[in-house]
Amino acid sequence: MKRKLAAILAADIAGYSRLMGEDEAATVRALKAHQAVVLPLIGRHGGRIIDTAGDGILAEFPSVIGATECALEIQTVMATRNADIPEHRRMLFRIGINLGDVIDDETRLYGDGINVAARLEGIAEPGGICISRQVFDQVNRAIKAEFQALGPRTFKNIAGPVDVFAVGPVAPRASGDLTQEIYFCRAPDGVQLAYSMIGQGPALVKTGNWMTHLEYDLESPIWRHLYRELAKAYTLIRYDARGNGLSDRTVDDISFDAFVSDLEAVVAAARVPRFALFGISQGCAVAIVYAVRHPERVSHLLLYGGFAEGRNKRARSGAERDENAAMLTLMRLGWGKENPAFRQLFTSQFLPGGTKEQADWFNELQRVTVSPETAVRIMTAADDIDVTALLPRVSVPTLVMHARDDARVPFEAGRRMAAGIPGARFVPLQGRNHLFLESEPAFGQFFEQARAFLGS
């Protein structure tokens, strides 16, 4: 047996006993038909079914975001399936989600983590979802949904009150907003990856990089202007790399090789035979490896703010290595805290010229996108990147851009990367933000150069 922290989803059918009493055979047939559609959604969102006894469903998820998004999709699907059924015969799920300690004996799960989820299910409205405070704190900014505070509730055999929230889908987006289609695929080691398509035109694949969230980024003043402009002329394919956003958050392998494998899996799932490849920051090294391995698939290689050698490889003194180690310690201690003071250090490197609103968005993006433990592992893997030996083997047209006063990745790192790629063109941009903002000159310069390059 082992004890672990898990997101637990518990669901049952409201009024199931009444439905069985009215027509047992029809109720069983309807339940099986609904389960055939609903149960696969759990796997699609990275969950594992624990029990389906009677009308109930008990599932475990490595991520509360995955559990909540699964619950929202279940209720959306069931609303559609119930639309043409007489009201008194409709099957409406009640769903509860909790994050807590469980005991796993490899056949069943036990513990208060499950008990609280079951109690939340019991107070949910038919067709509704109730979540605990522990779940709310992680999903309220990461998922586009409506949340309603129901206050503390006392449950039988549960020590102490549980702070409860109801959650439901948001109203449809207004016309003109960015919309996307989100899909899931699996990497060779089984990690589930979320990817999306937005816009129309020739395919442009953006490699995953640290701190992305497919949904959250479209609302963020840090990313939305970039994706809005790219989607005007291209079919933009983005994905959350392992440990990030809507992809599996808890994974065994976080390494540079795994990041490259993730890109290969997404490209295979998206079924684009040839495309332009776009890398930002550490995603540049991932794009370089892919372009060397699969030159026949890549029409253009567009790199911004990147490096061929990670921070540990670039460090030329003990002081630089000590600084890198200190950054990891700060991340481990303060990344997940509600107070953004620790994360502000990283924000000041990524966006030294950002407004308070932009800094607040980026601070929150860091908290909801990756856990502290995963953030440390991703940063460690990125710091050890070294693809300098592959640079001379890049054979596709390449454009490299870098901000002159980039506070996160030195300008010299981008210059050296471009110099190592045969025939690559290098364009310095004005600015000191690692991620350029809509209001600065680098934004217009980037798109002027990118459009001319990709259109060539």
Side-chain angles (χ1 to χ4, degrees):
M1 292 187 180
K2 63 179 180 179
R3 184 181 294 276
K4 62 182 181 180
L5 186 68
I8 302 298
L9 181 152
D12 72 355
I13 301 292
Y16 186 72
S17 297
R18 174 186 61 78
L19 293 169
M20 287 289 284
E22 292 176 355
D23 191 333
E24 182 174 312
T27 299
V28 171
R29 286 196 303 271
L31 176 63
K32 290 184 177 298
H34 291 318
Q35 287 179 332
V37 174
V38 167
L39 294 181
L41 299 179
I42 293 171
R44 277 182 51 194
H45 288 274
R48 176 171 70 104
I49 297 173
I50 305 301
D51 193 3
T52 58
D55 65 317
I57 299 172
L58 185 65
E60 172 199 8
F61 291 78
S63 158
V64 291
I65 292 176
T68 307
E69 290 179 331
C70 181
L72 287 165
E73 186 169 2
I74 287 173
Q75 298 297 35
T76 300
V77 168
M78 288 301 297
T80 301
R81 293 177 64 82
N82 280 317
D84 297 327
I85 298 175
E87 188 171 346
H88 73 285
R89 293 299 303 170
R90 292 177 180 174
M91 289 192 172
L92 301 174
F93 276 106
R94 301 178 301 177
I95 300 178
I97 304 174
N98 180 49
L99 175 67
D101 284 330
V102 298
I103 298 173
D104 187 353
D105 69 358
E106 298 184 356
T107 59
R108 289 192 61 189
L109 295 181
Y110 308 86
D112 275 352
I114 291 177
N115 296 337
V116 171
R119 301 297 190 273
L120 292 170
E121 165 210 293
I123 65 171
E125 294 290 332
I129 304 166
C130 280
I131 61 176
S132 63
R133 162 67 72 174
Q134 291 89 334
V135 176
F136 173 80
D137 285 343
Q138 294 198 34
V139 305
N140 70 310
R141 293 294 299 272
I143 292 178
K144 293 297 294 179
E146 298 287 352
F147 296 92
Q148 179 185 0
L150 302 182
R153 299 292 179 92
T154 302
F155 297 119
K156 183 179 179 181
N157 297 327
I158 301 296
V162 176
D163 215 6
V164 180
F165 296 79
V167 54
V170 296
R173 292 176 180 267
S175 60
D177 285 351
L178 287 174
T179 57
Q180 64 181 338
E181 297 177 350
I182 297 177
Y183 304 91
F184 293 89
C185 66
R186 289 196 180 276
D189 62 355
V191 172
Q192 186 167 260
L193 305 169
Y195 69 97
S196 82
M197 294 186 180
I198 184 172
Q200 54 186 344
L204 175 63
V205 176
K206 176 189 170 293
T207 60
N209 54 275
W210 190 26
M211 294 186 305
T212 64
H213 192 296
L214 292 180
E215 279 287 296
Y216 192 87
D217 289 350
L218 289 186
E219 305 297 327
S220 166
I222 311 304
W223 291 108
R224 65 188 177 203
H225 54 290
L226 172 64
Y227 298 148
R228 181 191 65 224
E229 291 302 313
L230 290 174
K232 289 179 179 179
Y234 307 98
T235 298
L236 177 62
I237 300 170
R238 308 152 41 230
Y239 64 95
D240 291 330
R242 59 184 57 213
N244 283 258
L246 300 183
S247 293
D248 281 351
R249 297 291 193 96
T250 305
V251 296
D252 293 330
D253 183 12
I254 292 184
S255 64
F256 180 67
D257 288 342
F259 298 153
V260 177
S261 179
D262 289 348
L263 171 59
E264 291 174 326
V266 169
V267 168
R271 298 182 180 180
V272 282
R274 189 166 166 81
F275 51 89
L277 186 57
F278 177 30
I280 295 178
S281 194
Q282 80 202 52
C284 292
V286 174
I288 287 167
V289 175
Y290 186 93
V292 169
R293 290 184 184 176
H294 311 281
E296 75 286 353
R297 305 291 296 275
V298 180
S299 64
H300 300 74
L301 185 60
L302 177 62
L303 306 175
Y304 168 76
F307 51 88
E309 294 179 299
R311 290 163 63 90
N312 287 338
K313 300 295 182 179
R314 298 196 305 268
R316 300 293 183 256
S317 67
E320 289 179 299
R321 285 186 284 272
D322 289 345
E323 179 184 338
N324 293 350
M327 294 284 280
L328 290 174
T329 300
L330 287 173
M331 183 180 294
R332 189 178 289 110
L333 293 175
W335 192 269
K337 293 183 181 297
E338 192 71 29
N339 187 323
F342 285 87
R343 298 189 301 277
Q344 180 60 39
L345 174 64
F346 297 91
T347 298
S348 65
Q349 290 189 334
F350 280 83
L351 301 169
T355 65
K356 183 180 184 305
E357 179 198 9
Q358 290 162 339
D360 289 345
W361 269 93
F362 198 74
N363 280 329
E364 186 66 7
L365 172 67
Q366 294 174 77
R367 187 178 72 85
V368 303
T369 299
V370 293
S371 68
E373 298 79 10
T374 301
V376 169
R377 294 173 66 197
I378 292 174
M379 185 173 175
T380 300
D383 285 349
D384 289 334
I385 286 173
D386 188 350
V387 297
T388 51
L390 293 180
L391 298 181
R393 296 172 56 190
V394 176
S395 59
V396 302
T398 303
L399 173 63
V400 180
M401 290 187 271
H402 208 107
R404 292 182 185 275
D405 300 306
D406 190 325
R408 177 64 184 174
V409 177
F411 180 76
E412 178 63 13
R415 189 198 68 81
R416 287 168 59 87
M417 180 176 68
I421 299 175
R425 189 160 65 89
F426 182 63
V427 177
L429 302 180
Q430 298 177 41
R432 57 196 181 107
N433 292 319
H434 184 51
L435 303 176
F436 55 74
L437 302 171
E438 188 171 14
S439 58
E440 62 181 310
F443 176 63
Q445 294 171 340
F446 173 86
F447 276 99
E448 179 183 358
Q449 296 290 336
R451 290 189 186 106
F453 171 67
L454 295 175
S456 63

